[in-house]
Amino acid sequence: MKYYAIINDVQRGPFNLDELSDAGVRPSTYVWCKGMQDWEKAEDVADICRMFRIRISNLMHPSWEEAPVKEKPDSEAGTENPNTPSRFDRYLNDSQERLPSPEEIADNETVNTPPNALLIPAILVTVFCFPPTGALAIYHALAARKSAKADDNKSVKEHTRSAKMFTGISLFLGFIVYSFLYRRFV
């Protein structure tokens, strides 16, 4: 995959993944490649993050790449369970660690807004702005609370998003209705 980067306020590229750090790309550098909707910081792109992590690991531990595997003497050969990982296995296999997909992150991500905080704004926009969509905001706020008690994180996220959306729609429609009424009667 070919990446473009904004380096010193100039678009440069295309670069292969392994050429990025030599080209001057840092974690705060904006990058883009085919398939991305917009420019993103390099630290937010999973492939580039993985490349930087591997590169740093190799710089910190150069002997791991070159060190030959030592076999145990025959006296120690049968004393350890071969299925038991050694304490160094996590370092040796770190570069092969699979990063979660965006969908897996989205499913496991915690909700930023607690469901209890959504009910009061939903009630306020129902009373003061636009009752039909405000009622939907209240419904979704209550459903988010119920899902949070049941530890259904995916459902909490969906209902929280819907409650925020209907709260915003109610607020917007309320402004339109009140401004129309104000112009009509004043």
Side-chain angles (χ1 to χ4, degrees):
M1 187 164 294
K2 300 286 186 175
Y3 289 90
Y4 292 87
I6 303 290
I7 301 170
N8 297 328
D9 296 328
V10 177
Q11 179 180 329
R12 307 247 170 120
F15 300 108
N16 288 326
L17 191 60
D18 55 347
E19 299 172 331
L20 289 175
S21 61
D22 295 333
V25 173
R26 303 292 174 251
S28 61
T29 304
Y30 282 91
V31 296
W32 179 86
C33 72
K34 186 176 180 180
M36 293 173 64
Q37 292 184 7
D38 201 3
W39 291 84
E40 295 182 25
K41 287 186 176 184
E43 65 189 11
D44 296 331
V45 179
D47 289 337
I48 297 174
C49 255
R50 186 178 311 113
M51 182 268 308
F52 276 123
R53 188 181 73 216
I54 292 168
R55 190 174 175 109
I56 289 171
S57 176
N58 290 342
L59 289 173
M60 291 176 63
H61 310 287
S63 62
W64 287 359
E65 294 175 348
E66 302 163 4
V69 177
K70 294 182 181 178
E71 294 186 24
K72 293 183 180 182
D74 291 336
S75 61
E76 295 179 18
T79 60
E80 190 176 323
N81 183 353
N83 295 330
T84 305
S86 73
R87 65 181 185 197
F88 298 110
D89 282 346
R90 77 178 183 113
Y91 295 109
L92 296 174
N93 295 326
D94 189 39
S95 63
Q96 299 167 357
E97 178 182 313
R98 187 185 74 80
L99 293 176
S101 69
E103 293 81 22
E104 291 172 330
I105 292 171
D107 289 344
N108 295 328
E109 186 177 293
T110 57
V111 178
N112 293 338
T113 306
N116 294 335
L118 299 172
L119 189 58
I120 293 173
I123 292 171
L124 290 176
V125 296
T126 302
V127 172
F128 294 113
C129 294
F130 198 73
T133 53
L136 289 171
I138 291 174
Y139 166 77
H140 285 289
L142 290 172
R145 287 174 75 180
K146 184 178 178 182
S147 298
K149 288 180 183 175
D151 277 341
D152 184 6
N153 197 29
K154 187 174 183 179
S155 180
V156 171
K157 285 176 53 177
E158 291 172 6
H159 286 298
T160 300
R161 188 174 338 128
S162 296
K164 288 178 182 180
M165 178 184 70
F166 283 116
T167 300
I169 290 171
S170 299
L171 189 64
F172 177 73
L173 291 175
F175 282 130
I176 290 175
V177 168
Y178 284 125
S179 63
F180 175 77
L181 291 174
Y182 179 77
R183 267 191 109 195
R184 179 139 183 150
F185 295 111
V186 175

